[in-house]
Amino acid sequence: MRRWASPVLQGLVLAAAVVLIVLLPRFTSEFRLGQFTYVGIYFIALLGLNILTGYNGQISLGHAAFMAIGGYTAAILILGQKGFELAGHDPAQVIPEHGMRALFTIPIAGLVTGVIGYLFGLPALRLAAVSLALATLAVAVSFPALAKRFEHLTGGGGGLSLPLPHAPFGWDISTPHWLYYEAWVTAAILFVVAWLLVRGRVGRAWRAIRDGEIAAVSSGVSPAVYKTLAFGISAAYAGVAGALFAIQVSYINPDTFPVTLSILLLASVVIGGLSSLSGVIVGALVLEFLPIYAQAPPVLHLNFAKQAGPVVFGFVLMVIVLLVPGGMASLIRRITRPLTAALARKA
Amino acid sequence: MALLAVEDVTRRFGGIVALTDVSLALEKGEIVGLIGPNGAGKTTLFNLITRLYRPNSGCILFDGKDLTRTPAYRIVRLGIARTFQNVVLFQNMTVLENLLVGAHSQLRPFSERRGRKQAVEMLEYLKLGDLGERLPGGLPFGTLKRVELARALVAKPTLLLLDEPAGGLNHEEVGELAEVIRRLRRDFDLTILLVEHHMQLVMSVCDRVHVLNFGRKIAEGTPAEVQANPDVIEAYLGAETVDAA
């Protein structure tokens, strides 16, 4: 009986979210807009991580490293050999001579990171849950050191400074506005892609492997194909998010995407709700704003230490895991269920 | 030519030999029973046919094609679907979604609507019509077994492997099951291999029966022949009785 009411309500909420995102720049300061740009970027990374962990059941504690790969890919392509030389770096020969427009580097960053993620998925096939989490964590831990080592590609510990981005094609909007739209239009496209993937044959194969690999195999699902596919797509999302992040801050160094970010990403997916695409928006909001408000809570006129963020984050995570294991998405569903039921009854 | 031919298959786990030189053949359209005491190797044979295990020696021919080099996920595409002894459903997916995973090898991109229609028809065929949107958790065991059967059938197999379909069912349900199995063969043009402890069911639906004991085949024949076979009686009653005699 709820069969139609629930999609209708979902459609309305989605439409409201789109209107809110489109209209937000009219009502808010450029500083706040910057924060909401980060929300969009995190949203993309969390969509990808949720595909891998929520839908396919593979835990990754290394997604910050995938974001870093995307960020560096974008930065290298934006600068080109000329840009490296201008900044006083000695560029590697593989880097193209001329820099690219920032916008065009985003899909390339996604593609490059996706391929690397796919390749990483091949050995990961042999690892069960905890081992896989540790293997991905190892990647995240070692990435900053690797980035410092390959100085001709990454600019070493000093990092790479990027030219300040501008709106392309002669659009007359400020840089923060442009970056905001760039992030959210990308997020919208990738949301639709994720939704299409998850609801059909591919998404069911991912979930079937998560719920029972042997029964999935006997139903004709190849774990090797679908697990590596999930890894590749998930990494591509992280790569796009990393590219947007690097463009947003106009700078990248080995510590831009620290190990703690990997852990916070996974925690945010759980807080938002595993295998829920709409929960991801809650996760992204939490990831951006919780550390800020934990340090300086609104209304209360208190100022806590910088470490308050992770502490509150950990506390929220514990509360969610204990009280609402399905994450905020399941909580929202539980609250709206009477409403959808009422709607259905009225019809 | 036999639809399925298992030839001299041996499978060891460490030092334990689960199956020794087992051979059996199924002709198209047959319902064949596979019986034997616990640990005789019945489920191992199922797992070998579906390639979850690889035989140490021997070969398994399906429709003339050797399965020993086929990856497990391709088996269903060739036309072999199965159910599991303990019912293995995808717990976080609805009953309908479970069936759609079962139809994975049948679905192509953009054939979603047709796949859903066929899954719904299969649910109705097995009298599960109104359960499509339910999660498996909380449904009665007998119903779950039918859901699993439905998931196997939407793959449109030519050979269906049923691992203890009567296990955990009450007397009335077992009676129905015999009818369902016969109807399946007729309606879907199936060949069926059936592992079962429930002798009454085996005797009433099977054309032929193979008997395993300690990983070896000790008898085969019609249900009546097998029931009268002294080796089979000994295997089921235990060797002590014979020693005492």
Side-chain angles (χ1 to χ4, degrees), chain A residues 3 199-205 207-223 225-226, chain B residues 52 72-73 76-77 80 82 84 88-93 97 100-102 104-105 107-109 112 116 133 151:
Chain A
R3 210 176 271 172
R199 66 193 284 270
R201 182 170 177 265
V202 174
R204 280 193 304 266
R207 290 152 69 206
I209 291 168
R210 173 198 67 193
D211 280 7
E213 194 160 323
I214 286 176
V217 169
S218 297
S219 299
V221 176
S222 161
V225 167
Y226 284 97
Chain B
L52 294 179
Y73 75 91
V76 73
R77 208 155 304 187
I80 304 177
R82 70 174 292 179
F84 292 88
V88 190
L89 291 169
F90 309 116
Q91 289 299 327
N92 297 301
M93 303 174 75
E97 285 175 324
L100 287 168
V101 174
H104 183 83
S105 59
L107 292 177
R108 293 286 157 265
E112 185 79 11
R116 272 180 194 271
E133 300 301 317
R151 185 179 66 189

Side-chain angles (χ1 to χ4, degrees), chain B residues 1-199:
Chain B
M1 186 182 63
L3 180 67
L4 177 78
V6 175
E7 291 173 3
D8 298 322
V9 160
T10 297
R11 170 71 207 198
R12 286 180 288 270
F13 295 102
I16 296 159
V17 187
L19 285 175
T20 312
D21 293 331
V22 170
S23 298
L24 60 85
L26 266 75
E27 297 299 326
K28 204 166 180 337
E30 274 190 312
I31 299 179
V32 173
L34 187 60
I35 65 169
N38 283 327
K42 307 182 294 290
T43 297
T44 301
L45 187 59
F46 264 30
N47 289 341
L48 285 167
I49 296 169
T50 51
R51 279 292 289 106
L52 294 179
Y53 304 152
R54 187 193 284 271
N56 292 104
S57 65
C59 66
I60 298 168
L61 299 171
F62 178 70
D63 231 356
K65 186 183 188 306
D66 189 0
L67 296 185
T68 35
R69 301 218 163 271
T70 310
Y73 75 91
R74 281 206 177 273
I75 293 294
V76 73
R77 208 155 304 187
L78 297 176
I80 304 177
R82 70 174 292 179
T83 65
F84 292 88
Q85 195 178 331
N86 323 311
V87 181
V88 190
L89 291 169
F90 309 116
Q91 289 299 327
N92 297 301
M93 303 174 75
T94 64
V95 166
L96 187 67
E97 285 175 324
N98 267 276
L99 262 65
L100 287 168
V101 174
H104 183 83
S105 59
Q106 299 293 316
L107 292 177
R108 293 286 157 265
F110 309 109
S111 65
E112 185 79 11
R113 190 181 295 243
R114 188 169 51 90
R116 272 180 194 271
K117 187 167 159 277
Q118 288 173 353
V120 167
E121 281 167 7
M122 186 58 71
L123 286 177
E124 271 158 20
Y125 176 84
L126 285 171
K127 301 198 176 75
L128 297 161
D130 45 355
L131 299 179
E133 300 301 317
R134 293 277 296 272
L135 290 174
L139 294 176
F141 192 68
T143 308
L144 294 178
K145 291 214 132 183
R146 281 214 305 277
V147 172
E148 207 191 26
L149 178 60
R151 185 179 66 189
L153 288 172
V154 287
K156 304 204 174 125
T158 45
L159 172 65
L160 180 63
L161 308 180
L162 299 175
D163 200 345
E164 298 199 21
L169 300 191
N170 63 35
H171 190 71
E172 191 187 340
E173 287 171 321
V174 173
E176 268 176 52
L177 181 64
E179 184 47 43
V180 168
I181 291 172
R182 275 190 291 258
R183 206 154 47 101
L184 286 180
R185 164 165 65 176
R186 201 174 57 228
D187 293 350
F188 298 100
D189 203 14
L190 277 171
T191 306
I192 298 172
L193 180 61
L194 174 81
V195 162
E196 192 45 77
H197 278 299
H198 199 287
M199 280 312 134

Side-chain angles (χ1 to χ4, degrees), chain B residues 184-234:
Chain B
L184 286 180
R185 164 165 65 176
R186 201 174 57 228
D187 293 350
F188 298 100
D189 203 14
L190 277 171
T191 306
I192 298 172
L193 180 61
L194 174 81
V195 162
E196 192 45 77
H197 278 299
H198 199 287
M199 280 312 134
Q200 211 180 323
L201 179 75
V202 171
M203 298 307 156
S204 74
V205 301
C206 292
D207 303 315
R208 287 188 305 123
V209 179
H210 295 266
V211 188
L212 290 180
N213 192 25
F214 293 119
R216 287 175 191 277
K217 195 164 94 174
I218 57 169
E220 73 168 285
T222 64
E225 284 167 3
V226 163
Q227 264 181 316
N229 186 313
D231 290 341
V232 176
I233 295 166
E234 183 191 318

